[in-house]
PDB file of all heavy atoms in Angstrom:
ATOM      1  N   ASP A 132      27.910  33.790   9.568  1.00  0.00           N
ATOM      2  CA  ASP A 132      26.483  34.035   9.736  1.00  0.00           C
ATOM      3  C   ASP A 132      25.845  34.605   8.458  1.00  0.00           C
ATOM      4  O   ASP A 132      24.874  35.345   8.516  1.00  0.00           O
ATOM      5  CB  ASP A 132      26.223  34.956  10.935  1.00  0.00           C
ATOM      6  CG  ASP A 132      24.809  34.798  11.473  1.00  0.00           C
ATOM      7  OD1 ASP A 132      24.268  33.674  11.397  1.00  0.00           O
ATOM      8  OD2 ASP A 132      24.233  35.803  11.928  1.00  0.00           O
ATOM      9  N   GLN A 133      26.399  34.245   7.305  1.00  0.00           N
ATOM     10  CA  GLN A 133      25.878  34.681   6.010  1.00  0.00           C
ATOM     11  C   GLN A 133      25.235  33.497   5.300  1.00  0.00           C
ATOM     12  O   GLN A 133      25.752  32.371   5.343  1.00  0.00           O
ATOM     13  CB  GLN A 133      27.010  35.236   5.131  1.00  0.00           C
ATOM     14  CG  GLN A 133      27.707  36.447   5.714  1.00  0.00           C
ATOM     15  CD  GLN A 133      26.801  37.652   5.782  1.00  0.00           C
ATOM     16  OE1 GLN A 133      26.112  37.982   4.829  1.00  0.00           O
ATOM     17  NE2 GLN A 133      26.780  38.316   6.937  1.00  0.00           N
ATOM     18  N   ILE A 134      24.123  33.769   4.613  1.00  0.00           N
ATOM     19  CA  ILE A 134      23.474  32.710   3.822  1.00  0.00           C
ATOM     20  C   ILE A 134      24.393  32.341   2.668  1.00  0.00           C
ATOM     21  O   ILE A 134      24.872  33.215   1.937  1.00  0.00           O
ATOM     22  CB  ILE A 134      22.103  33.176   3.285  1.00  0.00           C
ATOM     23  CG1 ILE A 134      21.136  33.424   4.432  1.00  0.00           C
ATOM     24  CG2 ILE A 134      21.528  32.153   2.311  1.00  0.00           C
ATOM     25  CD1 ILE A 134      19.790  33.994   4.000  1.00  0.00           C
ATOM     26  N   ILE A 135      24.648  31.038   2.510  1.00  0.00           N
ATOM     27  CA  ILE A 135      25.487  30.585   1.404  1.00  0.00           C
ATOM     28  C   ILE A 135      24.682  29.898   0.309  1.00  0.00           C
ATOM     29  O   ILE A 135      25.102  29.831  -0.842  1.00  0.00           O
ATOM     30  CB  ILE A 135      26.611  29.634   1.893  1.00  0.00           C
ATOM     31  CG1 ILE A 135      26.015  28.420   2.609  1.00  0.00           C
ATOM     32  CG2 ILE A 135      27.597  30.399   2.770  1.00  0.00           C
ATOM     33  CD1 ILE A 135      27.025  27.327   2.923  1.00  0.00           C
ATOM     34  N   TRP A 136      23.501  29.383   0.674  1.00  0.00           N
ATOM     35  CA  TRP A 136      22.645  28.696  -0.303  1.00  0.00           C
ATOM     36  C   TRP A 136      21.207  28.735   0.176  1.00  0.00           C
ATOM     37  O   TRP A 136      20.940  28.665   1.377  1.00  0.00           O
ATOM     38  CB  TRP A 136      23.097  27.240  -0.455  1.00  0.00           C
ATOM     39  CG  TRP A 136      22.266  26.457  -1.415  1.00  0.00           C
ATOM     40  CD1 TRP A 136      22.443  26.372  -2.768  1.00  0.00           C
ATOM     41  CD2 TRP A 136      21.132  25.636  -1.111  1.00  0.00           C
ATOM     42  NE1 TRP A 136      21.476  25.554  -3.317  1.00  0.00           N
ATOM     43  CE2 TRP A 136      20.651  25.091  -2.317  1.00  0.00           C
ATOM     44  CE3 TRP A 136      20.459  25.326   0.062  1.00  0.00           C
ATOM     45  CZ2 TRP A 136      19.551  24.248  -2.374  1.00  0.00           C
ATOM     46  CZ3 TRP A 136      19.358  24.493   0.005  1.00  0.00           C
ATOM     47  CH2 TRP A 136      18.924  23.959  -1.210  1.00  0.00           C
ATOM     48  N   GLU A 137      20.296  28.846  -0.785  1.00  0.00           N
ATOM     49  CA  GLU A 137      18.876  28.862  -0.464  1.00  0.00           C
ATOM     50  C   GLU A 137      18.119  28.143  -1.583  1.00  0.00           C
ATOM     51  O   GLU A 137      18.376  28.359  -2.757  1.00  0.00           O
ATOM     52  CB  GLU A 137      18.405  30.316  -0.367  1.00  0.00           C
ATOM     53  CG  GLU A 137      16.932  30.485  -0.148  1.00  0.00           C
ATOM     54  CD  GLU A 137      16.540  31.953  -0.119  1.00  0.00           C
ATOM     55  OE1 GLU A 137      16.404  32.551  -1.187  1.00  0.00           O
ATOM     56  OE2 GLU A 137      16.394  32.473   1.005  1.00  0.00           O
ATOM     57  N   GLY A 138      17.189  27.288  -1.178  1.00  0.00           N
ATOM     58  CA  GLY A 138      16.328  26.607  -2.136  1.00  0.00           C
ATOM     59  C   GLY A 138      14.885  26.737  -1.701  1.00  0.00           C
ATOM     60  O   GLY A 138      14.572  26.652  -0.516  1.00  0.00           O
ATOM     61  N   ALA A 139      13.993  26.963  -2.679  1.00  0.00           N
ATOM     62  CA  ALA A 139      12.576  27.155  -2.362  1.00  0.00           C
ATOM     63  C   ALA A 139      11.720  26.432  -3.385  1.00  0.00           C
ATOM     64  O   ALA A 139      12.064  26.344  -4.563  1.00  0.00           O
ATOM     65  CB  ALA A 139      12.234  28.640  -2.355  1.00  0.00           C
ATOM     66  N   LEU A 140      10.603  25.896  -2.910  1.00  0.00           N
ATOM     67  CA  LEU A 140       9.647  25.228  -3.789  1.00  0.00           C
ATOM     68  C   LEU A 140       8.245  25.639  -3.376  1.00  0.00           C
ATOM     69  O   LEU A 140       7.891  25.571  -2.205  1.00  0.00           O
ATOM     70  CB  LEU A 140       9.793  23.705  -3.704  1.00  0.00           C
ATOM     71  CG  LEU A 140       8.854  22.899  -4.590  1.00  0.00           C
ATOM     72  CD1 LEU A 140       9.126  23.151  -6.069  1.00  0.00           C
ATOM     73  CD2 LEU A 140       8.995  21.415  -4.292  1.00  0.00           C
ATOM     74  N   ASN A 141       7.463  26.065  -4.346  1.00  0.00           N
ATOM     75  CA  ASN A 141       6.069  26.433  -4.119  1.00  0.00           C
ATOM     76  C   ASN A 141       5.218  25.285  -4.639  1.00  0.00           C
ATOM     77  O   ASN A 141       5.363  24.880  -5.790  1.00  0.00           O
ATOM     78  CB  ASN A 141       5.749  27.731  -4.878  1.00  0.00           C
ATOM     79  CG  ASN A 141       4.427  28.326  -4.462  1.00  0.00           C
ATOM     80  OD1 ASN A 141       3.572  27.648  -3.899  1.00  0.00           O
ATOM     81  ND2 ASN A 141       4.248  29.593  -4.752  1.00  0.00           N
ATOM     82  N   SER A 142       4.357  24.750  -3.789  1.00  0.00           N
ATOM     83  CA  SER A 142       3.516  23.625  -4.196  1.00  0.00           C
ATOM     84  C   SER A 142       2.089  23.820  -3.708  1.00  0.00           C
ATOM     85  O   SER A 142       1.834  24.536  -2.750  1.00  0.00           O
ATOM     86  CB  SER A 142       4.088  22.312  -3.666  1.00  0.00           C
ATOM     87  OG  SER A 142       4.249  22.352  -2.272  1.00  0.00           O
ATOM     88  N   LYS A 143       1.174  23.179  -4.398  1.00  0.00           N
ATOM     89  CA  LYS A 143      -0.238  23.223  -4.016  1.00  0.00           C
ATOM     90  C   LYS A 143      -0.506  22.057  -3.066  1.00  0.00           C
ATOM     91  O   LYS A 143      -0.059  20.941  -3.314  1.00  0.00           O
ATOM     92  CB  LYS A 143      -1.131  23.124  -5.242  1.00  0.00           C
ATOM     93  CG  LYS A 143      -1.085  24.363  -6.108  1.00  0.00           C
ATOM     94  CD  LYS A 143      -1.985  24.223  -7.305  1.00  0.00           C
ATOM     95  CE  LYS A 143      -1.988  25.405  -8.230  1.00  0.00           C
ATOM     96  NZ  LYS A 143      -0.869  26.249  -8.298  1.00  0.00           N
ATOM     97  N   ILE A 144      -1.214  22.338  -1.978  1.00  0.00           N
ATOM     98  CA  ILE A 144      -1.526  21.307  -0.995  1.00  0.00           C
ATOM     99  C   ILE A 144      -3.004  21.364  -0.641  1.00  0.00           C
ATOM    100  O   ILE A 144      -3.641  22.407  -0.792  1.00  0.00           O
ATOM    101  CB  ILE A 144      -0.672  21.463   0.290  1.00  0.00           C
ATOM    102  CG1 ILE A 144      -0.901  22.837   0.934  1.00  0.00           C
ATOM    103  CG2 ILE A 144       0.797  21.224  -0.008  1.00  0.00           C
ATOM    104  CD1 ILE A 144      -0.257  23.020   2.285  1.00  0.00           C
ATOM    105  N   LYS A 145      -3.526  20.239  -0.183  1.00  0.00           N
ATOM    106  CA  LYS A 145      -4.896  20.203   0.329  1.00  0.00           C
ATOM    107  C   LYS A 145      -4.904  20.765   1.744  1.00  0.00           C
ATOM    108  O   LYS A 145      -3.944  20.597   2.490  1.00  0.00           O
ATOM    109  CB  LYS A 145      -5.429  18.765   0.368  1.00  0.00           C
ATOM    110  CG  LYS A 145      -5.613  18.115  -0.969  1.00  0.00           C
ATOM    111  CD  LYS A 145      -6.309  16.780  -0.879  1.00  0.00           C
ATOM    112  CE  LYS A 145      -5.751  15.879   0.185  1.00  0.00           C
ATOM    113  NZ  LYS A 145      -6.288  14.535   0.206  1.00  0.00           N
ATOM    114  N   GLU A 146      -6.022  21.373   2.097  1.00  0.00           N
ATOM    115  CA  GLU A 146      -6.135  21.925   3.441  1.00  0.00           C
ATOM    116  C   GLU A 146      -6.146  20.812   4.494  1.00  0.00           C
ATOM    117  O   GLU A 146      -5.486  20.911   5.522  1.00  0.00           O
ATOM    118  CB  GLU A 146      -7.412  22.761   3.560  1.00  0.00           C
ATOM    119  CG  GLU A 146      -7.542  23.440   4.900  1.00  0.00           C
ATOM    120  CD  GLU A 146      -8.764  24.325   4.981  1.00  0.00           C
ATOM    121  OE1 GLU A 146      -9.791  24.014   4.354  1.00  0.00           O
ATOM    122  OE2 GLU A 146      -8.689  25.339   5.695  1.00  0.00           O
ATOM    123  N   ASN A 147      -6.887  19.769   4.250  1.00  0.00           N
ATOM    124  CA  ASN A 147      -6.990  18.662   5.199  1.00  0.00           C
ATOM    125  C   ASN A 147      -6.225  17.468   4.649  1.00  0.00           C
ATOM    126  O   ASN A 147      -6.666  16.834   3.701  1.00  0.00           O
ATOM    127  CB  ASN A 147      -8.458  18.291   5.435  1.00  0.00           C
ATOM    128  CG  ASN A 147      -9.229  19.434   6.052  1.00  0.00           C
ATOM    129  OD1 ASN A 147      -8.742  20.081   6.972  1.00  0.00           O
ATOM    130  ND2 ASN A 147     -10.409  19.703   5.535  1.00  0.00           N
ATOM    131  N   ARG A 148      -5.084  17.184   5.265  1.00  0.00           N
ATOM    132  CA  ARG A 148      -4.261  16.051   4.856  1.00  0.00           C
ATOM    133  C   ARG A 148      -4.035  15.143   6.051  1.00  0.00           C
ATOM    134  O   ARG A 148      -3.985  15.599   7.186  1.00  0.00           O
ATOM    135  CB  ARG A 148      -2.897  16.521   4.328  1.00  0.00           C
ATOM    136  CG  ARG A 148      -2.994  17.412   3.117  1.00  0.00           C
ATOM    137  CD  ARG A 148      -1.636  17.914   2.690  1.00  0.00           C
ATOM    138  NE  ARG A 148      -1.141  18.895   3.674  1.00  0.00           N
ATOM    139  CZ  ARG A 148       0.106  19.301   3.738  1.00  0.00           C
ATOM    140  NH1 ARG A 148       1.011  18.846   2.911  1.00  0.00           N
ATOM    141  NH2 ARG A 148       0.479  20.178   4.642  1.00  0.00           N
ATOM    142  N   THR A 149      -3.865  13.870   5.769  1.00  0.00           N
ATOM    143  CA  THR A 149      -3.539  12.928   6.831  1.00  0.00           C
ATOM    144  C   THR A 149      -2.064  13.094   7.204  1.00  0.00           C
ATOM    145  O   THR A 149      -1.279  13.639   6.412  1.00  0.00           O
ATOM    146  CB  THR A 149      -3.778  11.475   6.379  1.00  0.00           C
ATOM    147  OG1 THR A 149      -2.842  11.161   5.329  1.00  0.00           O
ATOM    148  CG2 THR A 149      -5.209  11.260   5.899  1.00  0.00           C
ATOM    149  N   PRO A 150      -1.662  12.630   8.370  1.00  0.00           N
ATOM    150  CA  PRO A 150      -0.243  12.688   8.727  1.00  0.00           C
ATOM    151  C   PRO A 150       0.645  11.964   7.697  1.00  0.00           C
ATOM    152  O   PRO A 150       1.746  12.424   7.401  1.00  0.00           O
ATOM    153  CB  PRO A 150      -0.196  11.987  10.091  1.00  0.00           C
ATOM    154  CG  PRO A 150      -1.549  12.225  10.677  1.00  0.00           C
ATOM    155  CD  PRO A 150      -2.488  12.167   9.501  1.00  0.00           C
ATOM    156  N   GLU A 151       0.150  10.863   7.139  1.00  0.00           N
ATOM    157  CA  GLU A 151       0.926  10.133   6.133  1.00  0.00           C
ATOM    158  C   GLU A 151       1.096  10.963   4.867  1.00  0.00           C
ATOM    159  O   GLU A 151       2.181  10.986   4.278  1.00  0.00           O
ATOM    160  CB  GLU A 151       0.256   8.794   5.789  1.00  0.00           C
ATOM    161  CG  GLU A 151       0.235   7.779   6.921  1.00  0.00           C
ATOM    162  CD  GLU A 151      -0.887   8.018   7.947  1.00  0.00           C
ATOM    163  OE1 GLU A 151      -1.851   8.781   7.664  1.00  0.00           O
ATOM    164  OE2 GLU A 151      -0.794   7.450   9.041  1.00  0.00           O
ATOM    165  N   GLU A 152       0.033  11.648   4.457  1.00  0.00           N
ATOM    166  CA  GLU A 152       0.123  12.512   3.275  1.00  0.00           C
ATOM    167  C   GLU A 152       1.103  13.659   3.510  1.00  0.00           C
ATOM    168  O   GLU A 152       1.883  14.020   2.622  1.00  0.00           O
ATOM    169  CB  GLU A 152      -1.256  13.082   2.912  1.00  0.00           C
ATOM    170  CG  GLU A 152      -2.212  12.072   2.328  1.00  0.00           C
ATOM    171  CD  GLU A 152      -3.623  12.619   2.157  1.00  0.00           C
ATOM    172  OE1 GLU A 152      -4.082  13.446   2.988  1.00  0.00           O
ATOM    173  OE2 GLU A 152      -4.270  12.189   1.190  1.00  0.00           O
ATOM    174  N   LYS A 153       1.096  14.217   4.714  1.00  0.00           N
ATOM    175  CA  LYS A 153       2.026  15.297   5.044  1.00  0.00           C
ATOM    176  C   LYS A 153       3.469  14.797   5.000  1.00  0.00           C
ATOM    177  O   LYS A 153       4.350  15.461   4.465  1.00  0.00           O
ATOM    178  CB  LYS A 153       1.723  15.874   6.423  1.00  0.00           C
ATOM    179  CG  LYS A 153       0.465  16.705   6.463  1.00  0.00           C
ATOM    180  CD  LYS A 153       0.238  17.253   7.854  1.00  0.00           C
ATOM    181  CE  LYS A 153      -1.000  18.122   7.896  1.00  0.00           C
ATOM    182  NZ  LYS A 153      -1.168  18.781   9.197  1.00  0.00           N
TER     183      LYS A 153
END
Side-chain angles (χ1 to χ4, degrees):
D132 203 32
Q133 299 293 313
I134 295 175
I135 58 171
W136 179 87
E137 175 182 80
L140 181 64
N141 192 340
S142 56
K143 290 180 181 26
I144 59 172
K145 294 188 313 187
E146 184 177 32
N147 297 316
R148 299 176 289 165
T149 66
E151 293 80 16
E152 288 172 326
K153 288 181 178 186

